[in-house]
Amino acid sequence: PITSSDARQASTAGTGNPAPPTANPMDTYKVSSWWKMGAGRESLETDTHACVAQLGAAHSPDNRTQQVTRGLVVCMHGKGWKALREK
């Protein structure tokens, strides 16, 4: 079977452009807020805990510094949440 990595390499083959690097789920971002239509704080906490349980404790958000991992952002996006990244 073709993996997503194979697909990326094939899409850039012959263009002279290197394949984009694979994203690391442990990359960190500073997120100032989370948004989901019709959801509140309890839903955010429930979905965050579910993602951390799925991904592992290393993906626990740091509420003091607002740092989250890419893996957590992807998991939360799958649950309908949008992260507002701080600039």
Side-chain angles (χ1 to χ4, degrees):
I2 296 177
T3 65
S4 60
S5 177
D6 295 334
R8 279 192 300 276
Q9 288 174 352
S11 70
T12 59
T15 64
N17 296 326
T22 303
N24 182 346
M26 293 305 294
D27 286 345
T28 59
Y29 302 100
K30 190 168 186 175
V31 172
S32 59
S33 64
W34 292 93
W35 296 90
K36 181 178 178 180
M37 286 295 271
R41 179 179 284 287
E42 288 180 7
S43 181
L44 173 63
E45 290 176 5
T46 299
D47 288 344
T48 301
H49 289 296
C51 284
V52 170
Q54 175 185 341
L55 299 168
H59 292 274
S60 293
D62 184 334
N63 294 327
R64 185 178 53 80
T65 63
Q66 298 178 317
Q67 295 287 323
V68 298
T69 64
R70 181 181 194 285
L72 183 71
V73 172
V74 170
C75 182
M76 293 293 283
H77 182 76
K79 295 181 178 302
W81 289 93
K82 303 293 182 205
L84 182 60
R85 188 173 175 182
E86 187 167 294
K87 295 184 180 190

Coordinates of all heavy atoms in Angstrom, one line a residue:
P1 N 0.8 -1.2 0.0 CA 0.0 0.0 0.0 C 0.9 1.3 0.0 O 2.0 1.3 0.5 CB -0.8 -0.1 1.3 CG -0.1 -1.1 2.1 CD 0.7 -2.0 1.2
I2 N 0.3 2.3 -0.5 CA 1.0 3.6 -0.6 C 0.7 4.3 0.7 O -0.4 4.5 1.1 CB 0.5 4.4 -1.8 CG1 0.9 3.7 -3.1 CG2 1.1 5.8 -1.7 CD1 0.4 4.4 -4.3
T3 N 1.8 4.8 1.3 CA 1.7 5.6 2.6 C 1.6 7.0 2.2 O 1.8 7.4 1.1 CB 2.9 5.4 3.5 OG1 4.0 5.9 2.9 CG2 3.1 3.9 3.8
S4 N 1.2 7.9 3.2 CA 1.1 9.3 2.9 C 2.5 9.9 2.6 O 2.6 10.8 1.8 CB 0.5 10.0 4.1 OG 1.2 9.8 5.3
S5 N 3.5 9.3 3.2 CA 4.9 9.7 2.9 C 5.2 9.4 1.5 O 5.8 10.3 0.8 CB 5.9 9.0 3.8 OG 7.2 9.4 3.5
D6 N 4.8 8.2 1.0 CA 5.1 7.9 -0.4 C 4.3 8.9 -1.3 O 4.8 9.3 -2.4 CB 4.6 6.5 -0.7 CG 5.4 5.4 0.0 OD1 6.5 5.7 0.3 OD2 4.8 4.3 0.2
A7 N 3.1 9.2 -1.0 CA 2.3 10.2 -1.8 C 3.0 11.5 -1.9 O 3.0 12.2 -2.9 CB 0.9 10.3 -1.2
R8 N 3.5 12.0 -0.7 CA 4.2 13.3 -0.7 C 5.4 13.3 -1.6 O 5.7 14.2 -2.4 CB 4.6 13.7 0.7 CG 3.5 14.3 1.5 CD 4.0 15.0 2.8 NE 4.7 14.0 3.7 CZ 4.1 13.2 4.5 NH1 2.8 13.3 4.7 NH2 4.8 12.4 5.3
Q9 N 6.2 12.2 -1.5 CA 7.4 12.1 -2.3 C 7.0 12.0 -3.8 O 7.7 12.6 -4.7 CB 8.2 10.8 -1.9 CG 8.9 11.0 -0.6 CD 9.6 9.8 -0.1 OE1 9.4 8.7 -0.7 NE2 10.3 9.9 1.0
A10 N 6.0 11.3 -4.1 CA 5.6 11.2 -5.5 C 5.0 12.5 -6.1 O 5.3 12.8 -7.2 CB 4.5 10.1 -5.7
S11 N 4.4 13.3 -5.2 CA 3.8 14.5 -5.7 C 4.9 15.6 -6.0 O 4.7 16.5 -6.7 CB 2.8 15.1 -4.7 OG 3.5 15.5 -3.5
T12 N 6.1 15.4 -5.4 CA 7.2 16.3 -5.6 C 8.2 15.8 -6.5 O 9.2 16.5 -6.9 CB 7.8 16.8 -4.3 OG1 8.3 15.6 -3.6 CG2 6.8 17.5 -3.4
A13 N 8.1 14.5 -7.0 CA 9.1 13.9 -7.8 C 9.2 14.6 -9.1 O 8.2 15.0 -9.8 CB 8.8 12.4 -8.1
G14 N 10.4 14.9 -9.6 CA 10.6 15.6 -10.9 C 10.4 17.1 -10.9 O 10.5 17.7 -11.9
T15 N 10.0 17.6 -9.7 CA 9.8 19.1 -9.7 C 11.0 19.8 -9.2 O 11.0 21.1 -9.3 CB 8.6 19.4 -8.7 OG1 9.0 19.1 -7.4 CG2 7.3 18.7 -9.1
G16 N 12.0 19.1 -8.7 CA 13.1 19.8 -8.2 C 12.9 20.3 -6.8 O 13.8 20.8 -6.2
N17 N 11.7 20.1 -6.2 CA 11.4 20.5 -4.9 C 11.5 19.3 -4.0 O 11.0 18.2 -4.3 CB 10.0 21.1 -4.8 CG 9.9 22.4 -5.6 OD1 10.9 23.1 -5.7 ND2 8.8 22.6 -6.2
P18 N 12.2 19.4 -2.8 CA 12.2 18.3 -1.9 C 10.8 18.1 -1.3 O 10.0 19.0 -1.2 CB 13.2 18.8 -0.8 CG 13.2 20.3 -0.9 CD 12.8 20.6 -2.3
A19 N 10.6 16.8 -0.8 CA 9.3 16.5 -0.2 C 9.3 17.3 1.1 O 10.3 17.5 1.8 CB 9.2 15.0 0.1
P20 N 8.1 17.8 1.5 CA 8.0 18.5 2.8 C 8.3 17.6 4.0 O 8.0 16.4 3.9 CB 6.5 19.0 2.8 CG 5.8 18.1 1.9 CD 6.8 17.6 0.8
P21 N 8.9 18.1 5.0 CA 9.2 17.3 6.2 C 7.9 16.8 6.8 O 6.9 17.4 6.8 CB 10.0 18.2 7.1 CG 9.5 19.6 6.7 CD 9.2 19.5 5.2
T22 N 8.0 15.6 7.4 CA 6.9 15.0 8.2 C 6.7 15.8 9.5 O 7.7 16.1 10.2 CB 7.2 13.6 8.5 OG1 7.4 12.9 7.3 CG2 6.0 12.9 9.2
A23 N 5.5 16.2 9.7 CA 5.2 17.0 11.0 C 5.4 16.1 12.2 O 5.0 14.9 12.2 CB 3.8 17.5 10.9
N24 N 5.9 16.6 13.2 CA 6.2 15.9 14.5 C 5.0 16.2 15.4 O 4.8 17.4 15.7 CB 7.5 16.4 15.1 CG 7.9 15.7 16.3 OD1 7.1 15.0 17.0 ND2 9.1 15.9 16.8
P25 N 4.3 15.2 15.9 CA 3.2 15.4 16.8 C 3.6 16.0 18.1 O 2.8 16.5 18.9 CB 2.6 14.0 17.0 CG 3.7 13.0 16.6 CD 4.6 13.8 15.6
M26 N 4.9 16.0 18.4 CA 5.4 16.6 19.7 C 5.8 18.1 19.5 O 6.2 18.7 20.5 CB 6.6 15.8 20.3 CG 6.2 14.4 20.8 SD 4.8 14.4 22.0 CE 5.6 15.3 23.4
D27 N 5.7 18.6 18.3 CA 6.0 20.1 18.1 C 5.0 20.8 19.0 O 3.9 20.4 19.2 CB 5.7 20.5 16.7 CG 6.8 20.0 15.7 OD1 7.9 19.6 16.2 OD2 6.6 20.1 14.5
T28 N 5.4 22.0 19.5 CA 4.5 22.7 20.4 C 4.1 24.1 19.8 O 4.8 24.7 19.0 CB 5.2 23.0 21.8 OG1 6.4 23.7 21.6 CG2 5.5 21.7 22.5
Y29 N 2.9 24.5 20.2 CA 2.4 25.7 19.8 C 1.8 26.4 21.0 O 1.4 25.8 22.0 CB 1.2 25.5 18.8 CG 1.6 24.7 17.6 CD1 1.4 23.4 17.5 CD2 2.3 25.4 16.5 CE1 1.8 22.7 16.3 CE2 2.7 24.7 15.4 CZ 2.4 23.3 15.3 OH 2.8 22.6 14.2
K30 N 1.7 27.7 20.9 CA 1.0 28.5 22.0 C -0.4 28.8 21.5 O -0.6 29.5 20.5 CB 1.8 29.8 22.3 CG 1.3 30.5 23.6 CD 2.2 31.5 24.0 CE 1.8 32.1 25.3 NZ 2.7 33.1 25.9
V31 N -1.4 28.3 22.2 CA -2.8 28.5 21.8 C -3.5 29.4 22.9 O -3.5 29.1 24.1 CB -3.5 27.1 21.7 CG1 -5.0 27.3 21.5 CG2 -2.9 26.3 20.6
S32 N -4.0 30.5 22.4 CA -4.6 31.4 23.3 C -6.1 31.1 23.7 O -6.6 31.4 24.7 CB -4.6 32.9 22.8 OG -5.2 32.9 21.6
S33 N -6.8 30.4 22.7 CA -8.1 29.9 23.1 C -8.6 28.8 22.1 O -8.0 28.6 21.0 CB -9.1 31.1 23.0 OG -9.2 31.6 21.7
W34 N -9.6 28.1 22.5 CA -10.2 27.0 21.7 C -11.6 27.4 21.4 O -12.3 27.9 22.3 CB -10.2 25.7 22.5 CG -8.8 25.1 22.7 CD1 -8.0 25.3 23.8 CD2 -8.1 24.3 21.9 NE1 -6.9 24.7 23.7 CE2 -6.9 24.0 22.5 CE3 -8.4 23.7 20.6 CZ2 -5.9 23.2 21.9 CZ3 -7.4 22.9 20.0 CH2 -6.2 22.6 20.7
W35 N -12.1 27.1 20.2 CA -13.5 27.4 19.8 C -14.2 26.2 19.2 O -13.6 25.4 18.4 CB -13.5 28.5 18.8 CG -12.9 29.8 19.3 CD1 -11.6 30.2 19.3 CD2 -13.6 30.8 20.0 NE1 -11.5 31.4 20.0 CE2 -12.7 31.8 20.4 CE3 -15.0 30.9 20.3 CZ2 -13.1 32.9 21.1 CZ3 -15.4 32.1 21.0 CH2 -14.4 33.0 21.4
K36 N -15.4 26.0 19.6 CA -16.3 25.0 19.0 C -17.7 25.5 19.1 O -18.2 25.8 20.2 CB -16.1 23.6 19.7 CG -17.0 22.5 19.1 CD -16.7 21.2 19.8 CE -17.5 20.1 19.3 NZ -17.2 18.8 20.0
M37 N -18.5 25.5 18.0 CA -19.8 26.0 18.1 C -20.7 25.2 19.1 O -20.7 24.0 19.0 CB -20.5 25.9 16.7 CG -20.0 26.9 15.7 SD -20.4 28.6 16.2 CE -22.0 28.8 15.4
G38 N -21.3 25.9 20.0 CA -22.2 25.3 20.9 C -21.6 24.6 22.1 O -22.2 24.0 22.9
A39 N -20.2 24.7 22.2 CA -19.5 24.0 23.3 C -19.0 25.0 24.3 O -18.7 26.1 24.0 CB -18.4 23.2 22.7
G40 N -18.9 24.5 25.5 CA -18.4 25.4 26.6 C -17.2 24.7 27.3 O -16.6 23.8 26.8
R41 N -16.9 25.3 28.4 CA -15.7 24.9 29.2 C -15.7 23.4 29.5 O -14.7 22.7 29.4 CB -15.5 25.7 30.5 CG -14.4 25.3 31.3 CD -14.2 26.1 32.5 NE -13.7 27.4 32.3 CZ -12.4 27.7 32.0 NH1 -11.6 26.7 31.9 NH2 -12.0 28.9 31.9
E42 N -16.9 22.9 29.9 CA -16.9 21.4 30.3 C -16.6 20.5 29.1 O -15.9 19.5 29.3 CB -18.3 21.1 30.9 CG -18.5 21.7 32.3 CD -19.9 21.4 32.9 OE1 -20.6 20.6 32.3 OE2 -20.2 21.9 34.0
S43 N -17.2 20.9 28.0 CA -16.9 20.1 26.8 C -15.5 20.2 26.4 O -14.9 19.2 26.0 CB -17.8 20.6 25.6 OG -17.6 19.9 24.5
L44 N -14.9 21.4 26.5 CA -13.4 21.5 26.2 C -12.6 20.6 27.1 O -11.7 19.9 26.7 CB -13.0 23.0 26.4 CG -11.5 23.3 26.2 CD1 -11.0 22.9 24.9 CD2 -11.2 24.7 26.6
E45 N -12.9 20.6 28.4 CA -12.2 19.8 29.4 C -12.3 18.3 29.1 O -11.4 17.6 29.1 CB -12.6 20.1 30.8 CG -12.1 21.5 31.3 CD -12.6 21.9 32.6 OE1 -13.3 21.0 33.3 OE2 -12.4 23.0 33.0
T46 N -13.6 17.9 28.8 CA -13.9 16.5 28.5 C -13.1 16.0 27.2 O -12.4 15.0 27.3 CB -15.4 16.3 28.2 OG1 -16.1 16.6 29.4 CG2 -15.7 14.9 27.9
D47 N -13.1 16.8 26.2 CA -12.4 16.5 24.9 C -10.9 16.5 25.1 O -10.2 15.7 24.6 CB -12.9 17.4 23.8 CG -14.3 17.1 23.3 OD1 -14.8 16.0 23.7 OD2 -14.9 17.9 22.6
T48 N -10.4 17.5 25.9 CA -9.0 17.6 26.2 C -8.5 16.3 26.9 O -7.5 15.7 26.5 CB -8.6 18.8 27.0 OG1 -9.0 20.0 26.2 CG2 -7.1 18.9 27.3
H49 N -9.3 15.9 27.9 CA -8.9 14.7 28.7 C -9.0 13.5 27.8 O -8.1 12.6 27.9 CB -9.8 14.6 29.9 CG -9.5 15.6 31.0 ND1 -8.3 15.7 31.7 CD2 -10.3 16.6 31.5 CE1 -8.4 16.7 32.5 NE2 -9.6 17.2 32.4
A50 N -9.9 13.4 26.9 CA -10.1 12.2 26.0 C -8.8 12.2 25.1 O -8.3 11.1 24.8 CB -11.4 12.3 25.2
C51 N -8.4 13.3 24.6 CA -7.3 13.3 23.7 C -6.0 13.0 24.4 O -5.2 12.2 23.9 CB -7.1 14.7 23.0 SG -8.3 15.0 21.7
V52 N -5.8 13.5 25.6 CA -4.6 13.1 26.4 C -4.6 11.6 26.7 O -3.6 11.0 26.7 CB -4.5 14.0 27.7 CG1 -3.4 13.5 28.6 CG2 -4.3 15.5 27.3
A53 N -5.8 11.1 27.0 CA -5.9 9.6 27.3 C -5.5 8.8 26.1 O -4.8 7.8 26.2 CB -7.3 9.3 27.8
Q54 N -5.9 9.3 24.9 CA -5.6 8.6 23.7 C -4.1 8.8 23.3 O -3.5 7.8 22.8 CB -6.5 9.2 22.5 CG -6.2 8.6 21.2 CD -7.0 9.4 20.1 OE1 -8.0 10.0 20.4 NE2 -6.6 9.3 18.9
L55 N -3.6 10.0 23.5 CA -2.2 10.3 23.0 C -1.1 10.0 24.0 O 0.0 9.7 23.6 CB -2.1 11.8 22.6 CG -3.0 12.2 21.4 CD1 -3.1 13.7 21.3 CD2 -2.6 11.6 20.1
G56 N -1.4 10.1 25.3 CA -0.4 9.9 26.3 C -0.2 11.2 27.1 O -0.5 12.3 26.6
A57 N 0.3 11.1 28.3 CA 0.5 12.2 29.2 C 1.4 13.3 28.6 O 1.3 14.5 29.0 CB 1.0 11.7 30.5
A58 N 2.4 12.9 27.7 CA 3.3 13.9 27.1 C 2.5 15.0 26.3 O 3.1 16.0 26.0 CB 4.3 13.2 26.2
H59 N 1.3 14.7 26.0 CA 0.5 15.6 25.2 C -0.5 16.5 26.1 O -1.3 17.2 25.6 CB -0.4 14.9 24.2 CG 0.5 14.3 23.1 ND1 0.9 15.0 22.0 CD2 1.1 13.1 23.0 CE1 1.6 14.2 21.2 NE2 1.7 13.1 21.8
S60 N -0.3 16.4 27.4 CA -1.1 17.3 28.3 C -0.8 18.7 28.1 O 0.4 19.1 28.0 CB -0.8 16.9 29.8 OG -1.2 15.6 30.1
P61 N -1.8 19.6 27.9 CA -1.5 21.0 27.7 C -1.0 21.6 29.0 O -1.3 21.2 30.1 CB -2.9 21.6 27.4 CG -3.9 20.6 28.0 CD -3.2 19.3 27.9
D62 N -0.1 22.6 28.8 CA 0.4 23.4 29.9 C -0.4 24.7 30.0 O -0.2 25.6 29.2 CB 1.9 23.7 29.7 CG 2.5 24.4 30.9 OD1 1.7 25.1 31.7 OD2 3.7 24.3 31.1
N63 N -1.4 24.7 30.9 CA -2.3 25.8 31.0 C -1.6 27.1 31.4 O -2.1 28.2 31.1 CB -3.5 25.5 31.9 CG -4.4 24.4 31.4 OD1 -4.5 24.3 30.2 ND2 -4.9 23.6 32.3
R64 N -0.6 27.0 32.2 CA 0.2 28.2 32.6 C 0.8 28.9 31.5 O 0.7 30.1 31.3 CB 1.2 27.8 33.7 CG 2.0 28.9 34.3 CD 3.0 28.5 35.4 NE 3.9 27.5 34.9 CZ 5.0 27.7 34.1 NH1 5.3 29.0 33.8 NH2 5.8 26.8 33.7
T65 N 1.5 28.2 30.5 CA 2.2 28.8 29.4 C 1.3 28.7 28.1 O 1.8 29.3 27.1 CB 3.5 28.1 29.2 OG1 3.3 26.7 28.8 CG2 4.4 28.2 30.4
Q66 N 0.2 28.0 28.2 CA -0.7 27.8 27.0 C 0.0 27.0 25.9 O -0.4 27.1 24.7 CB -1.2 29.2 26.4 CG -2.0 30.0 27.4 CD -2.4 31.3 26.9 OE1 -1.6 32.0 26.2 NE2 -3.7 31.7 27.1
Q67 N 1.0 26.2 26.2 CA 1.7 25.4 25.3 C 0.9 24.0 25.1 O 0.5 23.4 26.0 CB 3.1 25.0 25.7 CG 4.0 26.2 25.8 CD 4.4 26.7 24.4 OE1 4.7 26.0 23.5 NE2 4.5 28.0 24.3
V68 N 0.7 23.7 23.8 CA 0.1 22.4 23.5 C 0.9 21.7 22.4 O 1.6 22.4 21.6 CB -1.4 22.6 23.0 CG1 -2.3 23.2 24.1 CG2 -1.5 23.4 21.7
T69 N 0.8 20.4 22.3 CA 1.5 19.7 21.2 C 0.6 19.7 19.9 O -0.6 19.8 20.0 CB 1.8 18.3 21.6 OG1 0.5 17.6 21.8 CG2 2.6 18.2 22.9
R70 N 1.3 19.5 18.8 CA 0.6 19.4 17.6 C -0.3 18.2 17.6 O -1.4 18.2 17.1 CB 1.6 19.2 16.4 CG 1.0 19.1 15.1 CD 2.0 18.9 13.9 NE 1.4 19.1 12.7 CZ 0.6 18.2 12.1 NH1 0.2 17.1 12.6 NH2 0.0 18.5 10.9
G71 N 0.1 17.1 18.3 CA -0.8 15.9 18.4 C -2.1 16.3 19.1 O -3.1 15.8 18.6
L72 N -2.0 17.1 20.1 CA -3.3 17.5 20.8 C -4.1 18.3 19.9 O -5.3 18.2 19.8 CB -2.9 18.2 22.1 CG -4.2 18.6 22.9 CD1 -4.8 17.4 23.5 CD2 -3.8 19.6 24.0
V73 N -3.5 19.3 19.2 CA -4.3 20.1 18.2 C -5.0 19.3 17.2 O -6.2 19.5 16.9 CB -3.3 21.2 17.6 CG1 -4.1 21.9 16.5 CG2 -2.8 22.1 18.6
V74 N -4.3 18.3 16.6 CA -4.9 17.4 15.6 C -6.0 16.6 16.2 O -7.1 16.5 15.6 CB -3.8 16.5 15.0 CG1 -4.5 15.4 14.1 CG2 -2.8 17.3 14.2
C75 N -5.8 16.1 17.4 CA -6.9 15.3 18.1 C -8.1 16.2 18.3 O -9.3 15.8 18.1 CB -6.4 14.7 19.4 SG -7.6 13.7 20.2
M76 N -7.9 17.4 18.9 CA -9.0 18.3 19.2 C -9.7 18.7 17.9 O -10.9 18.9 17.9 CB -8.5 19.5 20.0 CG -7.9 19.2 21.4 SD -9.2 18.6 22.5 CE -10.0 20.2 22.9
H77 N -9.0 18.9 16.9 CA -9.6 19.3 15.6 C -10.5 18.2 15.1 O -11.6 18.5 14.6 CB -8.5 19.6 14.5 CG -9.0 20.0 13.2 ND1 -9.5 21.2 13.0 CD2 -9.2 19.3 12.0 CE1 -9.9 21.3 11.7 NE2 -9.8 20.1 11.1
G78 N -10.1 17.0 15.3 CA -11.0 15.8 15.0 C -12.3 15.8 15.8 O -13.2 15.2 15.4
K79 N -12.3 16.4 17.0 CA -13.5 16.5 17.8 C -14.2 17.8 17.5 O -15.2 18.1 18.2 CB -13.1 16.4 19.3 CG -12.5 15.1 19.6 CD -12.1 15.0 21.1 CE -11.6 13.7 21.5 NZ -12.5 12.5 21.2
G80 N -13.8 18.6 16.5 CA -14.5 19.8 16.1 C -14.0 21.1 16.7 O -14.6 22.1 16.4
W81 N -12.9 21.0 17.4 CA -12.4 22.2 18.0 C -11.4 23.0 17.1 O -10.7 22.3 16.3 CB -11.6 21.9 19.3 CG -12.6 21.5 20.4 CD1 -12.9 20.2 20.7 CD2 -13.2 22.4 21.3 NE1 -13.8 20.2 21.8 CE2 -14.0 21.5 22.2 CE3 -13.2 23.7 21.5 CZ2 -14.8 22.1 23.2 CZ3 -14.0 24.2 22.5 CH2 -14.8 23.4 23.3
K82 N -11.4 24.3 17.2 CA -10.5 25.1 16.4 C -9.6 25.8 17.4 O -10.1 26.4 18.4 CB -11.2 26.2 15.6 CG -12.2 25.6 14.6 CD -11.5 24.8 13.5 CE -12.6 24.3 12.6 NZ -12.2 23.1 11.9
A83 N -8.3 25.8 17.2 CA -7.3 26.5 18.1 C -7.0 27.8 17.6 O -6.7 28.0 16.4 CB -6.1 25.6 18.3
L84 N -7.0 28.8 18.4 CA -6.6 30.2 18.1 C -5.1 30.3 18.6 O -4.9 30.3 19.8 CB -7.4 31.2 18.7 CG -7.1 32.7 18.3 CD1 -7.2 32.9 16.8 CD2 -8.1 33.6 19.1
R85 N -4.2 30.3 17.6 CA -2.8 30.3 17.9 C -2.4 31.7 18.3 O -2.7 32.7 17.5 CB -2.0 29.8 16.7 CG -0.5 29.6 17.0 CD 0.1 28.9 15.8 NE 1.5 28.8 15.9 CZ 2.3 28.3 15.0 NH1 1.8 27.8 13.9 NH2 3.6 28.2 15.2
E86 N -1.6 31.9 19.4 CA -1.2 33.2 19.8 C 0.0 33.6 18.9 O 0.9 32.7 18.6 CB -0.7 33.2 21.2 CG -0.4 34.6 21.7 CD -0.3 34.6 23.2 OE1 -1.3 34.4 23.9 OE2 0.8 34.8 23.7
K87 N 0.1 34.8 18.5 CA 1.2 35.3 17.7 C 2.4 35.8 18.5 O 2.3 36.2 19.5 CB 0.7 36.4 16.7 CG -0.3 35.8 15.8 CD -0.7 36.9 14.8 CE -1.7 36.3 13.8 NZ -2.0 37.1 12.7

